[in-house]
mmCIF file of all heavy atoms in Angstrom:
data_model
loop_
_atom_site.group_PDB
_atom_site.id
_atom_site.type_symbol
_atom_site.label_atom_id
_atom_site.label_comp_id
_atom_site.label_asym_id
_atom_site.label_seq_id
_atom_site.Cartn_x
_atom_site.Cartn_y
_atom_site.Cartn_z
ATOM 1 N N ASP S 242 71.619 166.477 146.049
ATOM 2 C CA ASP S 242 71.309 165.168 145.457
ATOM 3 C C ASP S 242 70.306 165.371 144.274
ATOM 4 O O ASP S 242 69.263 165.937 144.467
ATOM 5 C CB ASP S 242 70.666 164.238 146.503
ATOM 6 C CG ASP S 242 70.296 162.903 146.007
ATOM 7 O OD1 ASP S 242 70.551 162.590 144.799
ATOM 8 O OD2 ASP S 242 69.747 162.100 146.803
ATOM 9 N N GLU S 318 79.602 152.240 119.921
ATOM 10 C CA GLU S 318 80.294 151.395 120.932
ATOM 11 C C GLU S 318 80.145 152.058 122.312
ATOM 12 O O GLU S 318 79.898 151.355 123.314
ATOM 13 C CB GLU S 318 81.756 151.322 120.530
ATOM 14 C CG GLU S 318 82.598 150.573 121.533
ATOM 15 C CD GLU S 318 84.104 150.527 121.103
ATOM 16 O OE1 GLU S 318 84.346 150.112 119.941
ATOM 17 O OE2 GLU S 318 84.969 150.885 121.920
ATOM 18 N N ILE S 319 80.252 153.368 122.410
ATOM 19 C CA ILE S 319 80.092 154.088 123.655
ATOM 20 C C ILE S 319 78.672 154.051 124.104
ATOM 21 O O ILE S 319 78.356 153.770 125.259
ATOM 22 C CB ILE S 319 80.601 155.555 123.527
ATOM 23 C CG1 ILE S 319 82.069 155.579 123.161
ATOM 24 C CG2 ILE S 319 80.279 156.340 124.792
ATOM 25 C CD1 ILE S 319 83.028 155.006 124.175
ATOM 26 N N GLY S 345 85.714 168.613 133.179
ATOM 27 C CA GLY S 345 86.506 169.428 132.277
ATOM 28 C C GLY S 345 85.826 169.500 130.903
ATOM 29 O O GLY S 345 84.687 169.907 130.813
#
Side-chain angles (χ1 to χ4, degrees):
D242 180 1
E318 179 181 307
I319 299 297

